Amino acid sequence: MTDPTYADILCAALEQSALDCACAPSDFAKGEHVVTISRAQAGARRDLSLPHAFDMVSYGSNVVASVREELVPAAERYLTGRSAQECFVPPALHELGALLAPFGLRIGCQSEYYLPDPLRMREWDCAYALRVLQRGDFCALYLPQWGNALCAARREYDVLCVGAYDGDSLAGLAGCSADGERLWQIGIDVLPEYRNRGVARALVSRLAREAFARGKIPFYCAAWSNILSQKTALACGFVPAWVQLTAKPVHEKA
């Protein structure tokens, strides 16, 4: 994609979410909530475990719930009478947990996703040398301290990294995962002793530029409680785009 506008980027994200949620892109802008039967289909994000048992996505206007067929009545009951915002906050989530429990499910991941706004994007520098790393350069970096930048369970989708080096020592690492055909997700790790020195925003902003240069759209995910990660996204020109909640089996880690 050459010089995309934010409208272009948002359109691509909506098309991706439609594949992920088994719906139409226009469903995310409807005045009413939408419930669909979740299914695995070509083009869905590779980091998702499809089909979902129970998943909710909102771009702000409404909620699209993508669920197992037997959970459709529970999803409709939960969504009825609630705004998109109310569906994702306590005490409503306590009610959702009670609805999910008989199905052996509990509330799992809750995340906020960010898209780059080209008019806000800026590149930051830091005190350490930044190096672009191709697959052959980061194959030995699948270590616990880089667990957000790289994913050992899906290493075939890790396509690009930028490292911050203090001499020969790696201080921070940002990685891109090819989760979609057009959308690459950015993950970031900075060693504790190097935090609060601008390393994260330097890595994320540089990696975003590298993704754009390859015709891809970078996107960023942060937990609602991770304020520092959210500040990094905003400083680099990413803006909040959608939120997502996914249920998990009670025996499975969130």
Side-chain angles (χ1 to χ4, degrees), residues 71-128:
L71 279 159
V72 169
E76 292 175 340
R77 185 160 66 252
Y78 180 70
L79 296 172
T80 298
R82 290 191 169 99
S83 69
Q85 293 74 31
E86 290 169 337
C87 289
F88 291 89
V89 295
L93 291 180
H94 296 300
E95 181 179 330
L96 177 59
L99 286 171
L100 294 174
F103 299 92
L105 299 170
R106 62 179 173 83
I107 294 171
C109 302
Q110 300 181 69
S111 301
E112 185 169 8
Y113 288 84
Y114 295 75
L115 291 171
D117 182 346
L119 296 180
R120 300 174 187 234
M121 298 296 287
R122 63 168 296 182
E123 195 163 349
W124 294 89
D125 204 353
C126 68
Y128 308 103

Side-chain angles (χ1 to χ4, degrees), residues 16-242:
Q16 182 64 63
S17 290
L19 290 172
D20 303 338
C21 297
C23 67
S26 59
D27 285 339
F28 295 101
K30 288 185 174 179
E32 68 277 358
H33 302 311
V34 175
V35 178
T36 67
I37 305 298
S38 181
R39 64 180 185 270
Q41 54 186 359
R45 270 173 45 201
R46 297 166 180 132
D47 61 316
L48 301 178
S49 297
L50 295 176
H52 288 302
F54 189 101
D55 181 79
M56 298 193 304
V57 171
S58 177
Y59 278 77
S61 298
N62 69 337
V63 171
V64 173
S66 179
V67 305
R68 290 199 312 242
E69 188 169 2
E70 67 268 29
L71 279 159
V72 169
E76 292 175 340
R77 185 160 66 252
Y78 180 70
L79 296 172
T80 298
R82 290 191 169 99
S83 69
Q85 293 74 31
E86 290 169 337
C87 289
F88 291 89
V89 295
L93 291 180
H94 296 300
E95 181 179 330
L96 177 59
L99 286 171
L100 294 174
F103 299 92
L105 299 170
R106 62 179 173 83
I107 294 171
C109 302
Q110 300 181 69
S111 301
E112 185 169 8
Y113 288 84
Y114 295 75
L115 291 171
D117 182 346
L119 296 180
R120 300 174 187 234
M121 298 296 287
R122 63 168 296 182
E123 195 163 349
W124 294 89
D125 204 353
C126 68
Y128 308 103
L130 302 185
R131 301 178 195 168
V132 177
L133 307 177
Q134 309 293 337
R135 274 180 168 159
D137 303 319
F138 58 75
C139 59
L141 296 178
Y142 285 91
L143 303 169
Q145 60 266 41
W146 313 123
N148 291 310
L150 297 170
C151 180
R154 297 184 300 107
R155 64 178 66 204
E156 66 271 24
Y157 301 125
D158 291 333
V159 289
L160 189 68
C161 288
V162 175
Y165 286 84
D166 183 2
D168 293 328
S169 299
L170 186 59
L173 184 70
C176 264
S177 174
D179 290 345
E181 183 61 33
R182 289 180 290 173
L183 274 69
W184 285 3
Q185 183 168 188
I186 290 179
I188 175 71
D189 289 292
V190 178
L191 295 180
E193 60 268 32
Y194 291 98
R195 292 173 187 167
N196 299 312
R197 301 186 190 183
V199 176
R201 66 188 185 187
L203 288 170
V204 170
S205 62
R206 176 64 183 277
L207 187 55
R209 177 165 70 84
E210 295 291 336
F212 272 127
R214 289 159 174 78
K216 304 299 181 179
I217 296 171
F219 71 103
Y220 189 99
C221 176
W224 282 319
S225 59
N226 195 337
I227 300 300
L228 293 179
S229 184
Q230 294 172 30
K231 286 183 175 180
T232 295
L234 294 171
C236 296
F238 287 81
V239 296
W242 78 93

